[in-house]
Amino acid sequence: QVPLVESGGGSVQPGGSLRLSCSASGGTYRASCMAWFRQPPGKERERIADISGDGITSYTDSVKGRFTISRDNAKNTLSLEMNSLKPDDTAMYFCAASFFGSCTGSFYAWGQGTQVTVSS
């Protein structure tokens, strides 16, 4: 059973919006740091947003002010609201969960990814 399942990806024009969701059906991550990563074609995977077990969020500079990460512990889901999308946001997007509540550790549970393509 896949621990995390992403959804909500798709194709959108520059300036558009998408909302990604991550269902943690394979486990309970309420106290864990959870994060969104992305991997553009031909590039390494990078962490773009995370939320700690107690709700503290952080973002990489390239998405700050445009993306919002949130979690619904009652539904065991993680979301990423993406606005003002740019072609450089084109990537496979993954959600991940950490062993710990703090976001300074490594991530052990991963989804299979959802593709986001931003193009006119």
Side-chain angles (χ1 to χ4, degrees):
Q1 185 178 11
V2 178
L4 301 170
V5 179
E6 303 92 340
S7 62
S11 295
V12 64
Q13 292 186 341
S17 299
L18 283 174
R19 183 180 179 88
L20 305 184
S21 294
C22 173
S23 173
S25 58
T28 300
Y29 307 98
R30 292 182 176 87
S32 299
C33 169
M34 297 192 73
W36 286 98
F37 290 73
R38 69 183 179 187
Q39 186 168 17
K43 297 184 179 180
E44 294 186 354
R45 187 177 299 186
E46 64 168 339
R47 188 192 319 189
I48 59 170
D50 58 44
I51 182 165
S52 68
D54 54 5
I56 298 172
T57 61
S58 67
Y59 302 88
T60 192
D61 286 346
S62 61
V63 307
K64 201 172 293 183
R66 300 188 298 123
F67 291 10
T68 303
I69 189 172
S70 61
R71 65 193 303 164
D72 184 336
N73 287 337
K75 296 180 179 180
N76 220 16
T77 59
L78 178 74
S79 297
L80 184 69
E81 184 74 32
M82 305 187 295
N83 298 313
S84 302
L85 283 162
K86 306 174 182 179
D88 285 349
D89 294 319
T90 295
M92 185 71 78
Y93 284 70
F94 301 87
C95 63
S98 172
F99 278 115
F100 307 106
S102 166
C103 292
T104 57
S106 59
F107 293 84
Y108 77 101
W110 292 85
Q112 294 181 318
T114 186
Q115 178 68 37
V116 171
T117 302
V118 184
S119 174
S120 56

